[in-house]
Structures are given as structure tokens and as C-alpha cells.
Amino acid sequence: MKKRWAVLTTFAAALALVLAGCGNQNSDSGSGKLAAKQVLNLSADAPLDTIDIAKATGYGQTGNVFESLYRLGNNGKPIAGLASSGKVSKDGKTWTFKIRKNAKFSNGQKITAQDFVYSWQRTLNPNTKSQYAYLFSGIKNADQINAGKMSPSKLGVSAPNKQTFVVHLDEPIAYFKVLMTYPLFSPVSKKVIDKYGSKYATTSKYMVYTGPFKMTGWKGTNDHWAFVKNDQYWDKKKVKLSRINYSVNENPSTVLSLYQSKKLDMAQLSSAQIKNYRNNADYQTVPYSYTRFLAFNFKASNSKVRKAMNNKKIRQAISLAINRKQLISKVIGDDSTISQGFVPTDLAKNPKTGEDFAKEAYVKGTVDYDSSRAKKLWEQGLKEIGAKSLTVTLMSTNDNDDKNISEYFQVQLQNKLPGMKVSLVNIPSKVAYSRASKGDFDIYVSGWGADFTDPISHLQILQSNSGYNYGKWQNSTYDALVKKAQNQDANDKNKRWADMIKADQLVVKEAAIAPLYQTNYSFLINPKVKGVIHNTAGTQWNYKTAYISK
């Protein structure tokens, strides 16, 4: 499976599409607790780019207006969605879902199994140019279809009748049920698409919705829109909010001011604001499964740099020379946490012991600050490549946070590694992403956020055959471990877990990348906002059971 690399500003833009109150995660409002006005007022720091699920670049917000076979509940667990049931064959390769008889689009049209078939085929059609089509990988013929080598009609899905939806997989996918919570897999109406033609999804009125809310007031480019309760939703009795208002506010000071004047129910704080509000009663931190890391280019254009990037001791030296604790406290200034490996904490737990994946995979001495050991490895590495010094270019985006981070790296690496010179290239995020995808960098300040609550969402991108492994690290042992987790051991939870632990440990032992920190976001949240479900991956915010208390 493939996924594009994400830099911090790209992710922040995607996060802007999901900004909303997270509050206390009560599962039910209870009787007599509801305030009279069930309206949330929320902020986004960028306009929506599209509401077409096949063409979206992020799904955090859309999970509230589009629903798939399941929804994402507390702790990353799938809960009831448009499927009333789902069964998997003994070999793990065939899933059979029953679509609810009372499932409807927001226009009252019944949702059938054929709507799922059409939606999935449409997304995979290369003419759609879906950036997230890679998530279908593993479904029979999906990769060939998306590559234009096979007709979408050959996709391994069928609708034997209106209520039965069957999915055939190439191999068992251990996380398939969790994957089916993603809004990308929601049904769409061919009748509606044919009716609206080129107007489809260009504004909120040229769209039908499948989730607990429907969108209104979005005209394609404007800076405000709203979600209103969807009265056609199959489980509408559980929906307490009547409306969620969104407004675009790019300046953190504006967001904070609006929150303080009670015009917003939540405000995401910038690094500069956090220190002043950390002790505020409304202050909360929200984790996300997003790991920042340094990507090394194993095929750098400069021969000397290429030699250095392929030297394990030099890569280890660079990683060990970074004081991650100081980076977070002095430079970033928020509540982010030090990475223990590539896979972030709070993403997955051992199916047998309940131990957090990242804690279990942690290898002492691989991502810890050790300047003396870094210097020793550095000197040994330079000797091995026949050099006395090294000049590298460090590429990052030009937003304030990344500029500060790259400047810190420049000072730290030059001070701790004798003979190292770091030249900074701070460029717009789109340009940085383009250059990274072409392999035009030496070292890249990058990052990765999980699409679903499974370690493989991170581990798969460093496979040798991944089109998104821009550093071009290759390790046959690593490839074999990831392949076993995805195929041979997919039906054995314990063996699969062991495969992934070994793979994550190999990443840090080999210093394939240098994991830095895991992002945590800080907010001021109206204490009256209750019942919101938050997850670290996938659809982060679920407002189905949210409400405003008295």
C-alpha cells in the first residue's frame, strides 16, 4: 500500500479541515443534561478543497457527513455504520456485508450495495485521480485498475442483491474492518452524479450525504459552512447537535480572541500561546499519530553525500546528535512527545498483553541524545567514506515552525559533529513535497500520519517497492517482515505483531530515518462540549454523539 509523504504544513492544512471541539468523551448525553441550543461553533485555518470523497486530500471532517460500512469509535474500535453486519471467511479473503434496510442518502434515496460497488469503482478509476486510491490496495484487482491496466468493472466487489455487498481480497487484511471506517469507502449515488454532472460536489447543494450530518452553505471557495443534522440518517436518534458552524480563521490570535469572546467552542493554540494557557481550566492536549522524522536520501545526486547517506554510522551519528527533548521544549514549545521509534504511541496495542506498540518496539540507544557516541560514530563514518568533512542540504518547508526546527538542526549538527556543514533550504510545502517526490534533497524534514489504527500504516511506506519511499532505503529483511505481516501472518495476530515489532526496530537500528517527535496539539475547549469521540488516526473527530451540556 502506498501513501504520499506529508510535511508539517501539509498535515496542518489537512487538520484544519477537521478542527472541532473534542471535549470529554462521554458516550451518551443522558437525560436532562442537554442545553437548549445544540450548536457548535468551530474554526478551520484553511478552506475546504473539495467535498468529493474520491478526490479529497483529507477525511478528518468529512467522517461526520459521509459514513462507510463502519464508524470509528473510542480507542480506534470500529462501531456500527451503514452495515448491519459483516462476516469474513475462514481464509480471511472474503468479506460479506449486509447494508441496513433503513440506510438512506440525505435526499431520501435508499442506499444499496450497488452504491458501494459504484463508489469504489469510481474512486479507483485512474481518470478520477484519487490521491487515496492506494488504500484499496489488497482488494482484488484494485492496483491494476488504478494503474489503468484493467477495467474498474473487474474490481473484486459485487452486489448479489440490494442489501448484500461482497468484497474479495488478494490476501487477508488484518485491519480491514478498521479500514472500512474511512469515509473514502462511503457509497455515492450514481443517480445524483448523473443528475448534477459537472456540478457534482462543486457546492454543498450538489451533493448527497450518508453520515449523521449534511453540509450546507459551502459554495466551493467560501470561508464558512455548516453541518446540520441529517434527518435521513439511519441512527438519527443518537444525534444531539442540530448544527456545527465552521469559519476559516488563519491567524491563531484571531482564533484565541474568538474563543475568549465565546464565538468559538474550541481554539487550537500556537506554540507561542501554549505557555500562557497551559494552566487554564479549558486547556487540553490532543494526540495524533503523526511522527516527524529526518529522511535520508540514499540516492542523493551528489556522490559524496550519497556515500555519506549510505553509511550507517553517519546516519546514526546524525540521529544521536539531536537533543529531541530540547527540540520540543525550547524550539517547538508545545506538548509533543519524543519518538520512541517510527510507529507512534497510542496507535496500537499488543493483542495478547495490551502493551503499546511503540513502547514494546523501543530500542535503547537508537533515538536517544548521546553527543559523545554521535561524535565517535561520525568520525568512524567519515573515515569509512574517506572524508574529513561533509556538507549537506537540509530541506524543509518555510512555515515558522519548520524554519525554527531546521535552524535548530543546523546549529546542533554543526556543533556536535566536527566537519559537518548544514545548508538550509526552506521552501513552500508544495514545492518541498514535489522535490522530495523526485528525490531532490539530501536530508528532508518530513513526517507521516497514520490513515488507520494499525502499525502497518507507517511501516508500509519504507518498503523498497513503495513509490512513496523517497529516501530509497532498501532492506530485504525489512521488506520480508512487512510482507509477512500483510500476507503470510495476516490471520495470526501474535505472529503479525511480532513481525511488525521487528520491522520497526530494524528501522531505528539501521537509522533508515531519524524519528524525532510525535505531534500533540493543544486546545482551549468549552467544558460544555461533551460526547465527542477523538482518535489518533483515521477520522479523528466523531460528533455523532456530541452535545452541549447545561
Side-chain angles (χ1 to χ4, degrees):
M1 295 174 73
K2 302 175 181 177
K3 184 182 179 205
R4 62 186 176 87
W5 292 82
V7 294
L8 185 60
T9 51
T10 302
F11 171 72
L15 185 69
L17 306 183
V18 308
L19 288 182
C22 61
N24 295 328
Q25 296 182 14
N26 300 341
S27 61
D28 187 38
S29 63
S31 58
K33 292 183 179 180
L34 294 179
K37 190 177 181 182
Q38 290 299 308
V39 177
L40 271 178
N41 294 301
L42 309 168
S43 180
D45 63 12
L48 287 168
D49 55 355
T50 182
I51 56 172
D52 186 337
I53 58 170
K55 300 177 181 180
T57 56
Y59 295 90
Q61 184 190 102
T62 51
N64 292 286
V65 291
F66 297 108
E67 185 167 281
S68 185
L69 296 161
Y70 298 100
R71 293 186 67 77
L72 199 59
N74 278 315
N75 302 315
K77 302 296 182 184
I79 57 176
L82 295 178
S84 58
S85 67
K87 296 180 180 179
V88 62
S89 59
K90 287 186 178 180
D91 65 3
K93 294 183 179 182
T94 303
W95 283 80
T96 303
F97 300 97
K98 289 295 181 181
I99 308 306
R100 296 181 185 279
K101 292 183 179 180
N102 62 337
K104 296 178 181 179
F105 289 105
S106 56
N107 64 353
Q109 174 190 329
K110 281 199 170 186
I111 295 172
T112 68
Q114 185 57 40
D115 294 316
F116 280 91
V117 172
Y118 173 72
S119 177
W120 291 20
Q121 290 176 345
R122 175 177 178 264
T123 298
L124 280 166
N125 190 321
N127 293 330
T128 303
K129 298 179 180 179
S130 172
Q131 292 193 39
Y132 275 76
Y134 69 88
L135 283 177
F136 286 86
S137 185
I139 297 172
K140 188 177 179 180
N141 298 329
D143 291 339
Q144 294 94 318
I145 293 167
N146 194 232
K149 298 177 180 178
M150 194 176 285
S151 168
S153 64
K154 300 294 184 180
L155 183 64
V157 295
S158 62
N161 56 57
K162 289 185 177 181
Q163 253 59 57
T164 306
F165 179 53
V166 182
V167 182
H168 298 282
L169 307 177
D170 294 322
E171 299 289 346
I173 298 177
Y175 49 86
F176 190 72
K177 192 172 181 179
V178 173
L179 193 62
M180 290 301 100
T181 67
Y182 222 55
L184 174 68
F185 298 95
S186 173
V188 297
S189 169
K190 185 177 186 299
K191 289 181 181 179
V192 171
I193 291 176
D194 289 344
K195 176 183 176 181
Y196 293 139
S198 61
K199 291 182 178 180
Y200 177 76
T202 56
T203 70
S204 54
K205 70 177 181 179
Y206 296 129
M207 172 59 74
V208 288
Y209 307 90
T210 56
F213 300 93
K214 57 184 180 180
M215 185 179 288
T216 183
W218 185 68
K219 299 176 182 178
T221 57
N222 53 317
D223 61 1
H224 60 275
W225 58 88
F227 291 170
V228 296
K229 185 174 179 177
N230 180 4
D231 288 331
Q232 298 295 328
Y233 181 58
W234 68 272
D235 202 22
K236 62 184 179 182
K237 290 182 180 179
K238 295 274 183 69
V239 183
K240 308 300 180 185
L241 294 175
S242 60
R243 188 179 182 95
I244 304 174
N245 293 317
Y246 287 89
S247 61
V248 175
N249 302 285
E250 298 180 4
N251 191 317
S253 296
T254 302
V255 174
L256 180 58
S257 177
L258 289 170
Y259 179 84
Q260 291 172 328
S261 60
K262 300 187 183 300
K263 294 179 180 178
L264 287 177
D265 289 303
M266 174 175 144
Q268 183 178 359
L269 299 175
S270 67
S271 297
Q273 294 169 334
I274 289 172
K275 60 183 179 182
N276 295 323
Y277 289 91
R278 194 173 261 123
N279 295 322
N280 189 291
D282 294 355
Y283 181 84
Q284 292 189 33
T285 57
V286 178
Y288 186 68
S289 57
Y290 188 75
T291 302
R292 298 305 309 278
F293 60 90
L294 293 182
F296 303 113
N297 191 349
F298 289 76
K299 294 192 176 181
S301 57
N302 181 283
S303 60
K304 186 176 180 180
V305 172
R306 185 166 62 251
K307 264 188 180 182
M309 294 300 97
N310 278 275
N311 186 280
K312 178 180 174 180
K313 290 177 180 176
I314 287 178
R315 299 193 306 271
Q316 289 175 322
I318 292 172
S319 181
L320 294 173
I322 299 168
N323 188 331
R324 292 162 175 80
K325 184 177 180 180
Q326 186 181 70
L327 171 66
I328 293 170
S329 63
K330 302 296 184 182
V331 181
I332 301 170
D334 61 14
D335 287 322
S336 294
T337 56
I338 297 172
S339 292
Q340 299 186 62
F342 184 34
V343 175
T345 58
D346 299 319
L347 182 68
K349 296 187 183 300
N350 188 313
K352 198 172 184 178
T353 67
E355 177 78 341
D356 184 271
F357 183 93
K359 291 179 181 178
E360 188 173 328
Y362 170 69
V363 179
K364 188 177 181 180
T366 56
V367 293
D368 306 290
Y369 175 54
D370 190 336
S371 59
S372 60
R373 185 166 168 242
K375 183 181 177 182
K376 184 177 180 181
L377 287 167
W378 173 254
E379 291 171 345
Q380 290 174 346
L382 286 182
K383 188 175 181 180
E384 288 177 2
I385 67 170
K388 293 184 178 180
S389 62
L390 180 67
T391 299
V392 298
T393 298
L394 178 65
M395 183 175 75
S396 72
T397 70
N398 62 355
D399 74 274
N400 289 333
D401 285 340
D402 265 20
K403 279 187 71 176
N404 293 338
I405 289 169
S406 63
E407 287 170 0
Y408 171 79
F409 289 147
Q410 182 183 47
V411 173
Q412 186 79 356
L413 295 177
Q414 290 181 167
N415 284 344
K416 302 301 178 182
L417 305 177
M420 185 172 196
K421 182 179 179 182
V422 179
S423 176
L424 301 183
V425 174
N426 303 120
I427 50 182
S429 58
K430 288 185 178 179
V431 180
Y433 166 65
S434 176
R435 286 184 56 173
S437 65
K438 296 173 184 175
D440 185 14
F441 66 95
D442 294 340
I443 303 177
Y444 177 36
V445 182
S446 188
W448 188 260
D451 285 320
F452 46 89
T453 52
D454 191 277
I456 209 73
S457 185
H458 272 69
L459 298 173
Q460 66 192 2
I461 72 165
L462 290 180
Q463 291 175 281
S464 299
N465 64 354
S466 169
Y468 300 85
N469 177 7
Y470 297 136
K472 303 302 179 187
W473 176 63
Q474 295 184 342
N475 185 291
S476 58
T477 302
Y478 181 85
D479 290 344
L481 286 168
V482 175
K483 187 176 181 180
K484 281 180 69 178
Q486 292 177 307
N487 299 289
Q488 180 182 329
D489 294 339
N491 270 343
D492 189 319
K493 291 181 181 180
N494 295 324
K495 285 185 178 180
R496 180 174 183 271
W497 183 266
D499 294 335
M500 294 189 295
I501 289 288
K502 290 176 183 176
D504 191 65
Q505 290 176 336
L506 194 58
V507 170
V508 292
K509 286 178 180 178
E510 292 295 315
I513 58 171
L516 301 170
Y517 63 92
Q518 181 177 345
T519 302
N520 284 328
Y521 295 96
S522 298
F523 301 89
L524 293 180
I525 300 171
N526 181 351
K528 292 184 178 181
V529 177
K530 309 287 185 181
V532 177
I533 295 174
H534 173 264
N535 277 289
T536 64
T539 303
Q540 298 106 51
W541 305 98
N542 179 349
Y543 302 117
K544 177 177 173 176
T545 56
Y547 64 98
I548 309 297
S549 65
K550 289 184 178 179

